[in-house]
Amino acid sequence: MENLKEEVLQANLSLPKHDLVTFTWGNVSGIDRESGLIVIKPSGVKYEDLTAADLVVVDLEGKKVEGELKPSSDTKTHVTLYRNFKEIGGVVHTHSTWATTWAQAACDLPALGTTHADHFFGSVPCTRHLTEKEIAHDYELETGQVIVETFNHRNINPNHVPSVLVESHGPFSWGENASKALKNAVVLEEVCKMAYNTFNLNSERSDLDYMLLKKHFFRKHGNNAYYGQ
Amino acid sequence: MENLKEEVLQANLSLPKHDLVTFTWGNVSGIDRESGLIVIKPSGVKYEDLTAADLVVVDLEGKKVEGELKPSSDTKTHVTLYRNFKEIGGVVHTHSTWATTWAQAACDLPALGTTHADHFFGSVPCTRHLTEKEIAHDYELETGQVIVETFNHRNINPNHVPSVLVESHGPFSWGENASKALKNAVVLEEVCKMAYNTFNLNSERSDLDYMLLKKHFFRKHGNNAYYGQ
Amino acid sequence: MENLKEEVLQANLSLPKHDLVTFTWGNVSGIDRESGLIVIKPSGVKYEDLTAADLVVVDLEGKKVEGELKPSSDTKTHVTLYRNFKEIGGVVHTHSTWATTWAQAACDLPALGTTHADHFFGSVPCTRHLTEKEIAHDYELETGQVIVETFNHRNINPNHVPSVLVESHGPFSWGENASKALKNAVVLEEVCKMAYNTFNLNSERSDLDYMLLKKHFFRKHGNNAYYGQ
Amino acid sequence: MENLKEEVLQANLSLPKHDLVTFTWGNVSGIDRESGLIVIKPSGVKYEDLTAADLVVVDLEGKKVEGELKPSSDTKTHVTLYRNFKEIGGVVHTHSTWATTWAQAACDLPALGTTHADHFFGSVPCTRHLTEKEIAHDYELETGQVIVETFNHRNINPNHVPSVLVESHGPFSWGENASKALKNAVVLEEVCKMAYNTFNLNSERSDLDYMLLKKHFFRKHGNNAYYGQ
């Protein structure tokens, strides 16, 4: 648990270093799959003041099991992702400029280049509009549900496309652990910026050839990956 | 008074840290509501040279009651805001890039996402054109008047929408105190940038659903707020 | 002369601090009007290596009178400005991103807001296309001539509009001395960025009201200025 | 060889300093033309951890002749460039934001200003689409081949236009040595940004006059260059 806390702490502290957050607008969590316990940032605490001891531990029902502080107001969304995406070990939520732009525009992020293909095997989807009832009911839980629904209905593998754009809100990213989830959040921000620019320059562009998408994604992922050491 | 000076000093020094100013293009003030005295930045003094002793104290008529230096040339605008918006304790004026862009474009800033809704309960209004007579008469006072007129005529609560865009000029933000006013100025700049990008990507977007706007604003404000500790 | 060299050195060293240059793409000069001697950056020398002793002194014919190194390849343009704009004491040339954008677009920069009006009393003009003959003849001299022609033909006072956009090339700014010329170059870059954004958001905008332009310019300049101490 | 390694190391370390890379998305190589040996960055190693001893040496067949680590996954593209462009001594590949934007947009980068003309004697070409067969066959080799084909078919001198945009992928730059290749990569990024902005402001612009292009390019290159010391 102490290792997980340290990893979640470092990933939270990396948010301002990668220019993904203004004030306290972002949070990272990690899960220990054996115990089913989740470590998450406390709500509204500044990154520069954050210590491992401030982190909050909740279970897969979202109930606090350890910690002095209140967990992130987005905790139920994180929990819903861990309950449904069984292989993920870390979740990141931010309001980073470019990913939030695509979420506010309510557009899927298409795979326009190999930078995208190296990390996301196809478009990063944007969720549907939440209904008034969903917003009124249990908002953060429903936010998680609509993400899961998006991946299920559109038959997208969350391990191959480890990010989503929540309509009118912003991005969530995930990965094997908190540090890989953070990395995906950084990549998402960069490819959102480049896709925005690409469309401004040439509005006729659309998704990469499937062959090139596959080539790049599996150059970096899976058994035949040959990128890195 | 020394506490207020220190707070106003720190808020002024935060302007360059948050990249809201070029040279000396920004000023922060704070008011002590009991005495009706306002502490404000002196005109044209560099942030790196500014000390608490340089700050100027004026009353609610805009008359200097303490200080060696001339107060900000925008002092009458600040004073007019304090006289009319009775609950505010701090005012910030800058020419920050993105908020000034919206002011120069003479457009209201719509609430396109939850980042906006977390801080502003609806559009941030842009004032009407000043008449030649208003410009010639008492320009900085009239700037304050047109802000107040905008909130009154459009029935906007300045505590719920703590910023304005002055047409062809730039933003003013306010809050309970100087430090919260500064925070609102930072948020305004960020949501102006994201709204600009959103419109470039999808010009069909308009205001958030009222339910989502309300959900997010009151998640962070008022008696039922549950964000933070 | 040593004072002038020190001032010109500091203004050159400020170019990278204000993010106006990539590599060695910018130069500042200053003139001593009594002796008619101009101090200018040597060509292609990195700012981090530059010392006062490296600066080159040329006369108003552009002839080197002191210095080991070759002067900036743009020296004749600087000299032409000093010969024709009798009240200026410093000149800055850069390829800064946003001013170069307007120069490459071959557009005058309109006064869209009070930030512009505070520093430039009207549009910053873009020069006409140089003819093939002018390019072939004495290119850097002709660049200076076309700037002077622009101000003369369009009856613009170079003391009131202390910058120009050279078509397909980039900006030149000037001022009473090297340090004020540098300040104008910084302001030009910022107002170019904001005007670009403003047009992207609302392509219908045009020049400020003359009253507002005048109000802001003379709030900061001339005998009745009341900005600053 | 140790000198070459040191130069290649420094050029790789300069990638993050010039904001050309996210994570490990860029690599620099250099060649010793006498021995035909190429020094290149190892795959996926962080710049902050990289030492000269980590660099990999390969021959002009792409076979590793020295080093513990696997060379960059883009090694065959580098090798193909060295085999075909006989005078180049260094190659840089990145996914830098603005050059990648143009590559994703599948547009040649036109010479819209003198900043471009100072470094590239005409448009920087974008390669054609790779066929499915080329992607499936020997992808990184084919990437090199399509670059060479582009320069040959369009009769472009790679010494005069030392960069290319690989369609849907990103830029490659080169030069006499690794340090000059890096410099060209920095310039390419800057002119890509300014050309994008220029087109957004005035979509009617096209290539510079040939006279102005020639004037600027040969002011900095060849026997009659007069820029610098």
Side-chain angles (χ1 to χ4, degrees):
Chain A
M1 212 61 186
E2 294 316 301
N3 284 350
L4 181 59
K5 281 187 188 170
E6 187 57 31
E7 190 191 354
V8 170
L9 175 66
Q10 291 310 322
N12 274 291
L13 299 183
S14 293
L15 293 173
K17 285 181 199 157
H18 287 286
D19 283 328
L20 295 178
V21 289
T22 299
F23 298 123
T24 58
W25 305 351
N27 42 68
V28 186
S29 69
I31 190 169
D32 172 41
R33 283 287 177 186
E34 277 192 42
S35 63
L37 294 179
I38 296 161
V39 174
I40 192 162
K41 181 177 177 293
S43 184
V45 175
K46 292 181 185 175
Y47 305 102
E48 62 260 41
D49 299 336
L50 193 68
T51 66
D54 296 327
L55 296 173
V56 184
V57 183
V58 300
D59 64 20
L60 276 163
E61 307 298 319
K63 277 195 201 128
K64 181 156 89 172
V65 301
E66 190 190 317
E68 299 289 315
L69 300 171
K70 279 167 52 187
S72 163
S73 57
D74 300 305
T75 297
K76 284 188 182 174
T77 313
H78 289 243
V79 168
T80 306
L81 294 177
Y82 287 121
R83 290 171 68 104
N84 287 275
F85 298 164
K86 308 287 188 187
E87 296 175 51
I88 70 176
V91 172
V92 176
H93 172 51
T94 77
H95 289 213
S96 61
T97 307
W98 293 100
T100 303
T101 290
W102 282 83
Q104 291 190 167
C107 296
D108 286 0
L109 176 77
L112 297 182
T114 63
T115 320
H116 183 118
D118 280 335
H119 303 89
F120 302 103
F121 189 43
S123 295
V124 175
C126 186
T127 60
R128 67 165 170 78
H129 212 60
L130 285 179
T131 63
E132 296 213 350
K133 202 170 145 193
E134 287 166 336
I135 296 166
H137 168 239
D138 193 346
Y139 174 63
E140 291 82 4
L141 173 72
E142 296 290 354
T143 298
Q145 303 279 35
V146 80
I147 295 171
V148 172
E149 175 197 309
T150 301
F151 279 70
N152 288 347
H153 284 199
R154 297 172 59 174
N155 204 20
I156 303 170
N157 179 342
N159 302 317
H160 284 182
V161 179
S163 290
V164 72
L165 303 164
V166 177
E167 192 256 6
S168 296
H169 187 157
F172 282 81
S173 293
W174 49 81
E176 275 173 65
N177 52 45
S179 133
K180 291 195 177 171
L182 175 81
K183 195 167 174 178
N184 288 331
V186 174
V187 174
L188 178 66
E189 182 66 3
E190 183 63 21
V191 294
C192 280
K193 179 169 60 174
M194 296 199 301
Y196 171 93
N197 292 340
T198 301
F199 272 151
N200 259 349
L201 193 55
N202 183 349
S203 59
E204 305 297 308
R205 300 295 286 174
S206 60
D207 290 270
L208 278 188
D209 276 1
Y210 184 70
M211 272 299 277
L212 191 56
L213 178 67
K214 212 170 75 172
K215 177 71 193 175
H216 268 265
F217 189 75
F218 291 108
R219 201 165 83 142
K220 285 203 167 179
H221 300 87
N223 295 333
N224 297 314
Y226 58 95
Y227 183 92
Q229 300 299 326
Chain B
M1 211 62 186
E2 294 316 301
N3 285 351
L4 180 59
K5 281 187 186 170
E6 188 56 31
E7 190 191 355
V8 171
L9 175 67
Q10 290 310 324
N12 274 291
L13 299 183
S14 293
L15 293 173
K17 285 181 200 156
H18 286 285
D19 282 329
L20 296 178
V21 289
T22 299
F23 299 122
T24 57
W25 305 351
N27 43 69
V28 185
S29 68
I31 190 169
D32 173 41
R33 283 285 177 188
E34 277 191 41
S35 63
L37 293 180
I38 296 161
V39 173
I40 192 163
K41 182 177 177 292
S43 183
V45 174
K46 291 181 185 174
Y47 305 101
E48 62 261 41
D49 299 336
L50 193 68
T51 66
D54 295 328
L55 296 173
V56 185
V57 182
V58 300
D59 64 21
L60 275 164
E61 308 299 319
K63 278 195 201 129
K64 182 157 88 172
V65 301
E66 189 189 318
E68 300 288 314
L69 301 171
K70 277 167 55 187
S72 165
S73 57
D74 299 306
T75 297
K76 285 188 182 174
T77 314
H78 289 243
V79 168
T80 306
L81 294 177
Y82 288 121
R83 290 171 67 104
N84 287 276
F85 298 164
K86 308 286 190 188
E87 297 175 50
I88 69 177
V91 172
V92 175
H93 172 51
T94 77
H95 289 212
S96 62
T97 307
W98 293 101
T100 303
T101 290
W102 283 83
Q104 291 190 166
C107 295
D108 286 1
L109 176 78
L112 297 182
T114 63
T115 320
H116 183 117
D118 280 334
H119 302 88
F120 302 103
F121 188 42
S123 294
V124 175
C126 186
T127 60
R128 67 163 171 78
H129 212 61
L130 286 179
T131 63
E132 296 214 349
K133 204 170 144 192
E134 287 166 335
I135 296 166
H137 168 241
D138 194 346
Y139 174 64
E140 291 81 4
L141 172 72
E142 296 289 353
T143 298
Q145 304 278 35
V146 80
I147 295 171
V148 173
E149 174 197 310
T150 301
F151 279 69
N152 287 347
H153 284 199
R154 296 173 61 174
N155 203 20
I156 303 170
N157 179 342
N159 302 318
H160 284 183
V161 179
S163 289
V164 73
L165 304 164
V166 178
E167 192 257 6
S168 296
H169 187 158
F172 283 80
S173 293
W174 49 82
E176 274 174 66
N177 52 44
S179 132
K180 291 195 178 171
L182 175 81
K183 195 167 173 179
N184 288 331
V186 173
V187 174
L188 177 67
E189 183 66 4
E190 183 64 21
V191 294
C192 280
K193 180 168 61 175
M194 296 200 301
Y196 171 93
N197 292 341
T198 301
F199 272 150
N200 259 349
L201 193 56
N202 183 349
S203 58
E204 305 299 308
R205 299 296 286 173
S206 59
D207 291 270
L208 279 188
D209 276 1
Y210 184 71
M211 272 300 276
L212 192 55
L213 178 66
K214 212 169 74 172
K215 176 71 193 174
H216 269 265
F217 188 75
F218 291 107
R219 202 165 83 141
K220 285 202 167 181
H221 300 87
N223 294 334
N224 297 314
Y226 58 96
Y227 183 92
Q229 300 299 325
Chain C
M1 211 63 188
E2 294 316 302
N3 285 350
L4 181 59
K5 280 188 187 169
E6 188 57 32
E7 189 191 355
V8 171
L9 175 66
Q10 291 309 324
N12 273 290
L13 298 182
S14 293
L15 292 172
K17 284 181 201 157
H18 286 286
D19 282 328
L20 296 177
V21 290
T22 300
F23 299 122
T24 58
W25 305 352
N27 42 69
V28 186
S29 68
I31 190 169
D32 173 40
R33 283 286 176 186
E34 276 192 43
S35 62
L37 294 179
I38 296 161
V39 173
I40 191 163
K41 181 177 178 291
S43 183
V45 174
K46 292 180 186 175
Y47 304 102
E48 63 260 42
D49 300 335
L50 193 68
T51 66
D54 294 328
L55 296 174
V56 185
V57 183
V58 300
D59 64 20
L60 276 163
E61 307 299 318
K63 276 192 202 132
K64 182 157 88 173
V65 301
E66 191 191 316
E68 300 288 315
L69 301 171
K70 280 166 53 187
S72 163
S73 57
D74 300 305
T75 297
K76 284 187 182 174
T77 313
H78 289 242
V79 168
T80 305
L81 294 177
Y82 288 120
R83 289 170 68 104
N84 288 275
F85 298 163
K86 307 289 188 187
E87 297 174 51
I88 69 176
V91 172
V92 175
H93 172 52
T94 77
H95 288 212
S96 61
T97 307
W98 293 100
T100 303
T101 290
W102 282 84
Q104 291 190 167
C107 296
D108 286 1
L109 176 76
L112 297 181
T114 63
T115 320
H116 183 118
D118 280 335
H119 302 88
F120 302 103
F121 189 43
S123 295
V124 175
C126 186
T127 60
R128 68 165 170 77
H129 211 62
L130 285 180
T131 64
E132 296 214 349
K133 205 170 144 194
E134 286 166 335
I135 296 166
H137 167 241
D138 194 346
Y139 173 63
E140 291 82 5
L141 173 72
E142 296 289 354
T143 298
Q145 303 278 34
V146 79
I147 295 171
V148 173
E149 175 196 309
T150 301
F151 279 69
N152 287 347
H153 284 199
R154 296 172 61 175
N155 203 19
I156 304 171
N157 178 342
N159 302 318
H160 284 183
V161 180
S163 290
V164 73
L165 304 163
V166 177
E167 192 257 6
S168 297
H169 188 159
F172 282 81
S173 294
W174 48 83
E176 274 174 65
N177 52 44
S179 133
K180 292 195 177 170
L182 175 81
K183 194 166 174 181
N184 289 330
V186 173
V187 174
L188 178 67
E189 183 65 5
E190 183 62 21
V191 293
C192 280
K193 180 168 60 175
M194 297 200 300
Y196 171 93
N197 292 340
T198 302
F199 272 150
N200 260 349
L201 193 55
N202 183 349
S203 60
E204 305 299 309
R205 300 295 288 172
S206 60
D207 291 87
L208 279 187
D209 277 1
Y210 184 71
M211 272 300 276
L212 191 56
L213 179 66
K214 213 169 73 173
K215 176 70 191 174
H216 269 266
F217 189 74
F218 291 108
R219 202 164 83 141
K220 285 203 168 182
H221 300 86
N223 294 334
N224 298 314
Y226 59 95
Y227 183 91
Q229 299 299 326
Chain D
M1 212 62 185
E2 295 315 302
N3 285 351
L4 181 58
K5 281 187 187 169
E6 187 57 32
E7 189 192 355
V8 171
L9 175 66
Q10 291 309 324
N12 274 290
L13 299 183
S14 294
L15 293 173
K17 285 180 201 159
H18 287 285
D19 282 327
L20 296 178
V21 290
T22 300
F23 298 123
T24 58
W25 305 352
N27 42 69
V28 186
S29 69
I31 191 170
D32 172 41
R33 283 286 176 185
E34 276 191 43
S35 64
L37 294 178
I38 295 161
V39 174
I40 192 163
K41 181 178 178 291
S43 183
V45 174
K46 291 180 187 176
Y47 305 101
E48 62 260 42
D49 300 336
L50 193 68
T51 65
D54 295 327
L55 296 173
V56 184
V57 183
V58 301
D59 64 20
L60 276 163
E61 307 299 319
K63 277 193 200 129
K64 181 156 90 173
V65 301
E66 192 190 316
E68 300 289 315
L69 300 171
K70 279 167 54 187
S72 163
S73 57
D74 300 305
T75 297
K76 283 187 182 175
T77 313
H78 288 243
V79 168
T80 306
L81 294 177
Y82 287 121
R83 289 171 67 104
N84 288 276
F85 297 163
K86 308 289 187 184
E87 296 174 51
I88 70 177
V91 172
V92 175
H93 172 52
T94 77
H95 289 213
S96 61
T97 307
W98 293 101
T100 303
T101 290
W102 282 84
Q104 291 190 166
C107 296
D108 287 0
L109 176 77
L112 297 182
T114 63
T115 320
H116 183 119
D118 280 335
H119 302 90
F120 302 103
F121 189 42
S123 294
V124 175
C126 185
T127 61
R128 67 164 171 78
H129 212 61
L130 285 179
T131 64
E132 296 214 348
K133 204 170 146 194
E134 287 166 335
I135 295 166
H137 169 241
D138 193 346
Y139 173 64
E140 290 83 4
L141 173 71
E142 296 290 354
T143 298
Q145 303 278 34
V146 80
I147 296 171
V148 172
E149 176 197 308
T150 301
F151 279 70
N152 287 347
H153 285 198
R154 296 172 60 174
N155 204 21
I156 303 170
N157 179 342
N159 302 318
H160 284 183
V161 179
S163 290
V164 72
L165 304 163
V166 178
E167 192 257 3
S168 297
H169 188 159
F172 282 81
S173 293
W174 49 82
E176 275 173 65
N177 52 45
S179 133
K180 292 194 178 171
L182 175 81
K183 194 166 173 178
N184 288 330
V186 174
V187 174
L188 178 66
E189 183 66 3
E190 182 63 21
V191 294
C192 281
K193 180 169 59 175
M194 296 199 300
Y196 171 93
N197 292 340
T198 302
F199 272 151
N200 260 348
L201 192 56
N202 184 348
S203 60
E204 306 298 308
R205 299 295 287 172
S206 61
D207 291 87
L208 279 187
D209 276 1
Y210 183 71
M211 272 300 277
L212 191 56
L213 178 67
K214 213 169 74 173
K215 177 70 192 176
H216 269 266
F217 189 75
F218 291 108
R219 201 165 84 140
K220 285 203 168 180
H221 300 87
N223 294 334
N224 297 315
Y226 58 96
Y227 182 92
Q229 299 299 325

